[in-house]
Amino acid sequence: MNDLIKQHNLTEEEYQRIIKILGREPGIVELGIFSVMWSEHCSYKSSRVHLKKFPTTGPRVLQGPGENAGAIDIGDGLAAVFKMESHNHPSFIEPYQGAATGVGGILRDIFTMGARPVALLDSLRFGELSLPNNKHLVSGVVSGIAGYGNCMGIPTVGGEIYFDEIYNKNNLVNVFALGIVKKDRIFKGVATGVGNPVIYVGSKTGRDGIHGATMASDVFDDSSEAKRPTVQVGDPFTEKLLLEACLEVMNADLIVGIQDMGAAGLTSSSCEMAGRAGTGLDLHTDRVPTRETGMTPYEIMLSESQERMLIVTEKGKEAEVIGIFTKWDLDAVTIGEVTDTKRVRIFERGVLVADIPADALTDEAPLYNRPVAPPPYLEILRDIDVENIPVPSDLNKVLLTLLSSPSIASKEWVYSQYDHMVRTDTIVLPGSDAAVIRIKGTNKAIAMTTDCNSRYCFSDPFLGAAIAVAEAARNIVCGGGEPAAITDCLNFGNPEKPEIMWQFQEAVEGISAVCRKFNIPVISGNVSLYNETNDISIYPTPVIGMAGIIEDVSKRMTQYFKKEGDIIFLIGVNREELGMSEYLKEIHYKIRGVPPQLDLDLEKKVQDLCLLGIKEGIVKSAHDTSEGGLAVTLAECSLTAEGKNKGAEIELNDDIRADALLFGETQSRIIITVDKANAARIRNMASDMNVPMTLIGKVGGESLIVRHNSKELINIAVQEMSDAWRNAIPRQLGE
Amino acid sequence: MKFGIIVFPGSNCDHDCYHMVKHVLGKPASFIWHKEEDLSGLDVVLLPGGFSYGDYLRAGAIARFSPVMKSVGKFAEEGGLVLGICNGFQILLEAGLLPGTMLRNRSLKFICKDVHLRVDNINTPFTLDYFENQIIKMPIAHAEGNYYADEETLTKLQKNNQIVFRYSGTDGRITDDVNPNGAAGNIAGICNEQGNVLGMMPHPERCGEKILGGRDGYTIFESIVHYSEKILNKR
């Protein structure tokens, strides 16, 4: 028996709790159900106490955390529904299917709410690209995302991808999806109305993905690849049919409640629907369409086969619902009904095989306030002697090295494999600070971004997470958007270690602090713990997905220099900050120091000026400085698509050492360009708003030239930068 | 004049085509479910892009058996205009309405990006508003766009002036380095001998509005309208 409990990843204490709840020993089906519902992945048992700290309300919020996805009011009677989710563990074991089903899962979360998904973004972390296994993982994950999203016809419009050896054995695949719905037509995952039928729709149930959620709630070791059978297999074509059929059923007013079967499959969808509604459910596993014969109730309840949904409709409307799914060649079978028992009861050929109080699985799941303690390495990590780091003599070479480091280099190799234009709404294509899609039938657009610098979080998780939110907002602003709300995907190591829980707690507080200051609510999210292999944990990686609203679609913005002679301004101030920078890592092989400071008042002012400049039609390009500092930011402004590269001449006069000036990652800075005729106007705006802003140069020429107190530090042909930047990733992949 | 947009279960550019015709071009459009057979009252049939049946086997291989395809064949035979875009082109090949077949891109990857095309035939109902050898910019988005036909077919296509679009440089040169997928002769689009059926891999419906970065695709839809008006005037 002890072995059985262990196999189910339950502690002795949790097992005793099950006995107390049931008043008896659990049967095998019940044990399976408890194990997945109480897994970290489904129950958030280690994280829930902290997640309560997030600000989750605001005038735009229509749905906060707790449903399949969050929703905000974007005006015109519409809502944007969005969420981000991780598929880290399966993507490491089987990169193509792991990533593909990650996309499938988040899309179901969106259309379960009644929204048609209109955009995807991916935040990816891999180990060093030079290692063969990482090449395999990168290629597999990217083609998995492409294979699913492209077939569904939902554009993958942006995201981020970083490479660091810390992710060698634990890559991260976080997928963000956003959908649009009429705001009075949002559907929820509730099983209400005693006697209402419960209909199973979509793919047949197979033996794939059993215990996927449990697998995702455990650390890895060298034998992790043997866990491949716990990874599900995706079928985007069926999901496309499911999407269209579900939206059709919703339009026909046939839905009481609807929930997708994601992690923990039929178990979690049924328990959560009953739990939310305060009702009970009777389900008959022998009625569930299966892919093979002889599946046990245990397997049926725990399968994570993809592309399935559970629908509660009104009694008497079953035939109409089933008719629509039949049109789309999908299975639809009534497998049970809503009861007033407040219990989830599972029958197999009339025999009761599980009988559990619904709230025992959700509300009464274990809740841990795990011990926290700062990690012992912090003091050493944060200590840095900058004086002993020499300023390289050839700064051109430094810039070219940084431009060709995979984390900074062009991601065209990735996004050209994604259909980023389908739906004909993508009006700022991948490669700029924020992706922008228009909303047809309105004058609006939505800007989206995902952000996190996990190296910052490693040194200071509070500050690193705060910077992730601030940078996300800055990116939205650089796209012309008003930051509206965030979703988050919190990727951490083993929560049973106090230093990991400390990182988690700090990160949550960092996110909360900036969200409160900027009035940006957290409307949905996901936690992925146990990202750890052989006792080595990933850097804390709290990824922020943010959406912003552009009221006038003509006021969207990109980062690229537009015209020779345009004046370049730097909004914000330069400081001497080198800690945890890409420059230190790539050039001096040092991962040391503290992240750049974040002055929230300054940050807000910088963003306000930039956004006003865009709204007034003065600003012609806007790009925030991040990894690689000012020099990389300027280079990126120069490098546009299709040989329209434009150089620039820059003069800086700060009293800062040259490498810190060029490559330091001081926050709250945006590079903008304006027409010469508008230079005075933007200056007046800056001084009226009391925002520091400096004229640093003008657009033009074939080279990027940067002078510091009249001394030339950088002088590189744009074409040379372009080659280094564009070809780095394909070259490293040997293509 | 009326456009019909065929909807296979996995079509995903159907709404984009509808938007293009109805809201940008301002002409009537309707969706035709692939299980329907009635195409009466239509002047133009569009086969949109997507993954008609998931395309796990070979793009378009199953779609050709959809009931509507018989009607599309008849419609084309009677001189109706048929435009297949991306997956629609693949389906036209599988259905035998156009010659040749599609292989996987030589990179073995899905490719989504803007490419340049040279318009090699402006004497079709779809291209009459372009000028001879005009260079246009249009996005591609496909994994199987590597057009293949045997030498005999290629010679015939050339001789009959059936090659309508080729991948080209901005200066009009047709070279391998501007061929995104390995297509024979840089072929991006071909028509049948009569010229009333056009298949093309690039997506004109994705570049019909300035906000999307260009209007080169609009010209195809505009040409169709002008052609149809001419026919009507003649009558």
Side-chain angles (χ1 to χ4, degrees), chain A residues 235-236 416 419 423 438 735, chain B residues 11 16 56 109 112 206 209:
Chain A
D235 175 2
S416 67
D419 190 341
R423 296 191 55 77
R438 64 171 168 179
E735 291 183 6
Chain B
S11 295
D16 301 355
Y56 298 122
K109 289 191 185 71
C112 176
R206 294 187 183 185
E209 299 165 80

Side-chain angles (χ1 to χ4, degrees), chain A residues 384-400:
Chain A
I384 183 172
D385 181 8
V386 179
E387 298 294 304
N388 280 326
I389 296 172
V391 178
S393 55
D394 186 349
L395 293 165
N396 284 332
K397 199 174 146 200
V398 172
L399 177 54
L400 288 172

